[in-house]
Amino acid sequence: MIDTRRQDDASGDRRSDQPGGRGGKSVYLETFGCQMNELDSELVRGQLTALGYRFIDEPGDADVILYNTCSVREQAENKVLSRVGRVGIEKKDGSAVVLGVIGCMAEREGASMMTRYPQIDLMCGPGELDRLPMLLDNAMKTDAVEHADRIALQGNRTRRTSTLAAAEDDLEMLDLSRAFDPDRAAAGGRSAYVRITRGCNKFCTYCVVPHTRGAEVHRPPDHIVDECRRLADQGVIEITLLGQTVNHYIYTHGTSLTVDGREMPQVGPGLKAFRETNAAAGQRVTTFADLLHRIHEEVPAIERLRFVTSYPRDFTDDALAVMAASPRICNYLHVPAQSGSNRMLKAMNRGYTVEEYLEFIDRARAALDDVSIAGDIIVGFPGETEEDFEATKELIRRVRFKNNFIFKYSPRPGTVAINRFDDDVPFEVKRRRNNELLELQAEISAEVHREYVGRTVDVFVEQVSRRSQARQGNVELRWQQPQVQMTGRTAGDLITAFDLPAGFSPDEMIGRIVPITVTSSGPLLLTGHPAESPVPQ
Ligand code: SAH
Ligand code: SF4
Ligand code: F3S
C-alpha cells in the first residue's frame, strides 16, 4: 500500500510484541539541510530512543537507515538520491535494512519517490514526524523485502486547511517532549536550538520551503520560555531560536486554546497582515521583541541568545531596542538579501527593495554596537543580467557582510519561478558569478576580521579545530605540531582559533566562554590566545 494521505491508524491492528516496540534495533540517522532539520533529527532521536531503538554512527550494521532530507536545491536532493541508490544495491544483495526518507524531500516527493525507489520502506514529511514511531513500527513488522505495506505521509499541504490546528498541536507535543541529550548536542552539550515558528508564508518564487514545511505557525511563548529554561537546567548556555522568518514571530493570546484551556500554536499572518496585526489594538500579543525580552530576563543562565533567519522587512525598532538593552542577546543578524537588484527582488517576490534593505541595515548598525551581519545571495536567478549582478556586488560592498552564503539558482518543482520563468542564465555564468561573489565576500570578510586584531573578544569554545583534528589523524604531522588548536565563536559569530592552553584537555575547554586576545586574522577566522590563564572548572 502506498498512501499519501494522513493516516490515523496506518499501523492497522498490528501490535508491538513488547512495550516500546522495537527494543534493541539499531538506527543510523543522517541529516541534510538546515538547522530546522538538525532539530527535527534531535526530536526523532529522542522519540525513538525512548522506544528502545539504539542510535549508531555508521550505516553498515544498522537495522534502520533514516535520511532526514532537504529539498532546497537540486544538489541537496541528489546527495540523498545517491545514498538511496546505494541502499538499493545493498538490499538487492540481501540486506534487510529498513530505509526511511523523512524531512522536506519526503514532503515534496511523497509516494512518487517510493514508486521510483522501491528500496524505500517509509516516508514521513516534517509535519508528520509525531507519527514516525508508528510508521517505523509498521515497516519493521512488514516483510521489508516484499514491500507489502509501504507508507508515505505528507501533511503540510493538507494542513493548510482546517486540520491544521489539531495537527500542529500534535507536532507541538513532539517539541515539548524533547529529550535533549547533552552527550550528543553541540559544544559539549552547551548549545541548543529552540524553534519559535514552523513553516513559512512568504512564498519567495524560487523557494520550496513553504511547500515542504507548510503554513507559518507560531508556538505559544510560555512553551518556548519553558523549553529554554529546561535546556538551561541541563547545562545549555547558548540558544539559537529558529524560524524561517524569525522576526515575524507574533502570538495573539486568548485566540488559540485547546478544550482544556491550554494555549496552542497559531497560524501566523501573511506578509501584509503582519503589519496590520501589529497595529491592531485591544488584543494582548507577544511580539518578537517581547519574546526576546522574556527569554533574556526569565532564563539568565543563557549567556548567548541568537536567532535565525531574519526577514529584512518588518524588523521593528523595539526588537532592536531589546537587543541593544540585553547583554546576553548577541549582536548578530542573519538577514539574507538574496539580490542587490530591485528587478530581481521583485521577480523573487521578496517584498522589499534594495533601499528598504539598506535602511534596515543602517538602523541595525545605529542601534547595535559591533553588529555582525551575515546573509544569503542567489546568483543566476532567471533574467539576471550583468547589471543586476553588479548591483548585487554593490550591495555586498555597501553592507560589509561578515559572511554570505552564496547559491546558484536551482529551479525547484512546485515553485512559481520554475513555472513562470526560464532558467535562462547558463550554468557557466552562474558558476562565474558565484566565484566572483565568493572572492568579493572573502575580501570583505578579511577586512571585517582585521578590525578585531588587538582586541579581546569572548569566545564560546566549540571544538578542536578541523586542522588539528586532521593532524591528530596523521602521525607525521602530529609529531611536527603537537599543539592542539581549538575553535569557537564570538558573540557576533566570528570563528576564532587559539592554541589549547597548557594543562587543559580539549574537553575542559569546550562549552566555556573564554576571553581571547586576537593577534591575527584572515578571510575565514580570527586567531589569538587566551587573554588570561583559564581557571580550571
Ligand atoms: N527563510 C530563509 C531562508 C531559507 S532557505 C530566508 O528567507 O532567508 C536558505 C537559503 O537557500 C535562502 O536564503 C536562499 O538564499 C537559498 N535558496 C532557497 N531556494 C533556492 C533555490 N531554489 N536556488 C538557490 N538557492 C536557494
Ligand atoms: Fe523560502 Fe522566502 Fe520563506 Fe525564506 S522567506 S523560507 S526564502 S519562502
Ligand atoms: Fe532544506 Fe527543508 Fe531546511 S528544504 S533548508 S531542510 S526547511
Side-chain angles (χ1 to χ4, degrees):
M1 177 181 69
I2 294 180
D3 194 340
T4 58
R5 284 168 297 127
R6 206 179 149 77
Q7 296 243 328
D8 284 315
D9 60 349
S11 60
D13 57 6
R14 295 158 200 269
R15 288 271 145 73
S16 301
D17 47 8
Q18 50 174 296
R22 315 310 301 173
K25 295 287 182 189
S26 58
V27 184
Y28 172 75
L29 167 62
E30 190 169 350
T31 308
F32 303 82
C34 65
Q35 295 108 324
M36 283 284 176
N37 261 15
E38 286 175 34
L39 178 52
D40 282 346
S41 284
E42 187 189 316
L43 295 177
V44 163
R45 210 179 284 121
Q47 200 185 21
L48 296 182
T49 304
L51 292 171
Y53 291 90
R54 243 172 349 103
F55 280 77
I56 57 175
D57 293 329
E58 295 295 330
D61 300 324
D63 298 310
V64 179
I65 293 181
L66 294 176
Y67 294 130
N68 191 4
T69 59
C70 172
S71 281
V72 79
R73 283 168 294 275
E74 193 181 1
Q75 213 184 0
E77 292 198 342
N78 286 344
K79 266 193 217 161
V80 173
L81 292 180
S82 82
R83 297 224 191 353
V84 167
R86 214 179 306 146
V87 176
I89 294 169
E90 284 162 16
K91 285 183 125 181
K92 273 207 182 111
D93 289 346
S95 157
V97 70
V98 168
L99 175 60
V101 173
I102 63 177
C104 289
M105 230 174 137
E107 183 67 30
R108 196 185 76 66
E109 292 256 17
S112 77
M113 186 168 174
M114 272 188 150
T115 312
R116 279 181 289 133
Y117 299 95
Q119 63 268 43
I120 300 175
D121 298 292
L122 68 95
M123 297 186 71
C124 183
E128 297 286 335
L129 284 178
D130 52 311
R131 287 146 186 271
L132 180 65
M134 170 273 285
L135 277 186
L136 195 50
D137 196 47
N138 192 44
M140 305 283 285
K141 285 173 186 297
T142 306
D143 181 353
V145 180
E146 296 283 321
H147 299 298
D149 199 5
R150 301 158 67 224
I151 294 175
L153 285 189
Q154 295 165 287
N156 281 332
R157 287 165 215 216
T158 49
R159 281 178 180 190
R160 288 191 181 277
T161 66
S162 55
T163 59
L164 180 72
E168 278 301 332
D169 204 39
D170 291 345
L171 267 189
E172 182 63 17
M173 291 302 142
L174 179 58
D175 269 62
L176 288 175
S177 70
R178 175 177 193 173
F180 178 73
D181 180 353
D183 291 340
R184 288 225 172 227
R190 309 203 82 191
S191 181
Y193 294 124
V194 170
R195 194 183 333 256
I196 69 170
T197 66
R198 304 189 181 90
C200 182
N201 282 353
K202 302 301 171 290
F203 288 97
C204 302
T205 53
Y206 51 81
C207 185
V208 80
V209 173
H211 308 275
T212 62
R213 291 270 165 180
E216 186 175 302
V217 169
H218 302 245
R219 299 184 63 202
D222 285 349
H223 292 190
I224 297 168
V225 175
D226 279 354
E227 197 172 324
C228 293
R229 194 177 293 120
R230 269 186 282 131
L231 288 166
D233 289 345
Q234 287 176 272
V236 168
I237 60 169
E238 178 183 74
I239 284 182
T240 305
L241 305 176
L242 298 183
Q244 294 297 348
T245 55
V246 74
N247 52 309
H248 277 189
Y249 178 85
I250 188 159
Y251 193 90
T252 308
H253 294 276
T255 56
S256 318
L257 300 173
T258 57
V259 277
D260 53 351
R262 256 186 321 110
E263 283 193 326
M264 57 188 224
Q266 63 185 209
V267 182
L271 194 59
K272 187 160 165 288
F274 176 78
R275 290 177 171 178
E276 286 160 11
T277 310
N278 244 358
Q283 273 174 324
R284 192 167 73 82
V285 296
T286 295
T287 62
F288 181 58
D290 298 333
L291 182 70
L292 287 180
H293 181 70
R294 269 196 69 180
I295 300 172
H296 186 264
E297 296 305 306
E298 293 178 35
V299 199
I302 300 303
E303 293 180 46
R304 283 193 175 180
L305 183 62
R306 286 208 186 90
F307 50 86
V308 291
T309 304
S310 295
Y311 198 69
R313 249 181 71 169
D314 311 311
F315 203 112
T316 57
D317 281 338
D318 54 345
L320 290 175
V322 168
M323 289 175 77
S326 310
R328 294 181 300 280
I329 301 182
C330 298
N331 285 352
Y332 166 75
L333 293 167
H334 183 148
V335 53
Q338 311 296 1
S339 171
S341 152
N342 280 333
R343 214 171 62 82
M344 288 295 103
L345 289 175
K346 191 151 193 279
M348 290 174 172
N349 190 32
R350 284 292 285 181
Y352 54 84
T353 60
V354 174
E355 294 70 27
E356 285 168 325
Y357 184 88
L358 292 174
E359 184 272 333
F360 168 60
I361 298 296
D362 289 344
R363 248 182 329 125
R365 290 216 189 274
L368 306 172
D369 292 339
D370 267 347
V371 62
S372 264
I373 296 174
D376 299 350
I377 297 281
I378 297 177
V379 293
F381 188 77
E384 187 187 65
T385 60
E386 285 303 318
E387 206 181 338
D388 296 318
F389 177 60
E390 284 305 317
T392 299
K393 282 184 165 173
E394 191 45 44
L395 179 86
I396 293 176
R397 286 192 200 99
R398 165 81 164 71
V399 176
R400 300 186 77 244
F401 292 95
K402 75 137 182 113
N403 75 303
N404 250 305
F405 296 96
I406 297 159
F407 304 108
K408 296 189 267 305
Y409 170 66
S410 164
R412 304 311 298 135
T415 59
V416 168
I418 198 173
N419 293 324
R420 196 176 290 169
F421 310 120
D422 274 348
D423 180 19
D424 58 0
V425 178
F427 185 78
E428 274 314 308
V429 176
K430 284 182 187 169
R431 182 151 65 187
R432 172 179 57 76
R433 291 180 185 167
N434 188 71
N435 289 343
E436 281 184 34
L437 291 196
L438 287 174
E439 247 173 66
L440 172 63
Q441 184 57 56
E443 280 168 30
I444 293 169
S445 300
E447 276 171 34
V448 171
H449 285 160
R450 210 171 297 134
E451 287 163 17
Y452 284 82
V453 175
R455 288 175 55 179
T456 295
V457 287
D458 283 338
V459 173
F460 177 80
V461 185
E462 290 176 339
Q463 59 187 357
V464 173
S465 79
R466 294 234 169 93
R467 220 180 65 196
S468 272
Q469 283 176 29
R471 278 176 185 276
Q472 291 296 306
N474 180 322
V475 175
E476 277 177 33
L477 287 176
R478 201 164 49 191
W479 167 246
Q480 282 172 16
Q481 199 213 32
Q483 181 61 56
V484 175
Q485 197 183 45
M486 308 298 296
T487 55
R489 284 166 203 268
T490 68
D493 205 45
L494 305 178
I495 300 171
T496 309
F498 64 96
D499 287 344
L500 181 68
F504 283 86
S505 71
D507 285 347
E508 286 170 302
M509 296 304 288
I510 290 173
R512 292 173 66 164
I513 295 178
V514 181
I516 299 289
T517 301
V518 180
T519 50
S520 63
S521 70
L524 297 178
L525 40 80
L526 308 175
T527 312
H529 56 75
E532 54 208 51
S533 299
V535 183
Q537 282 185 336

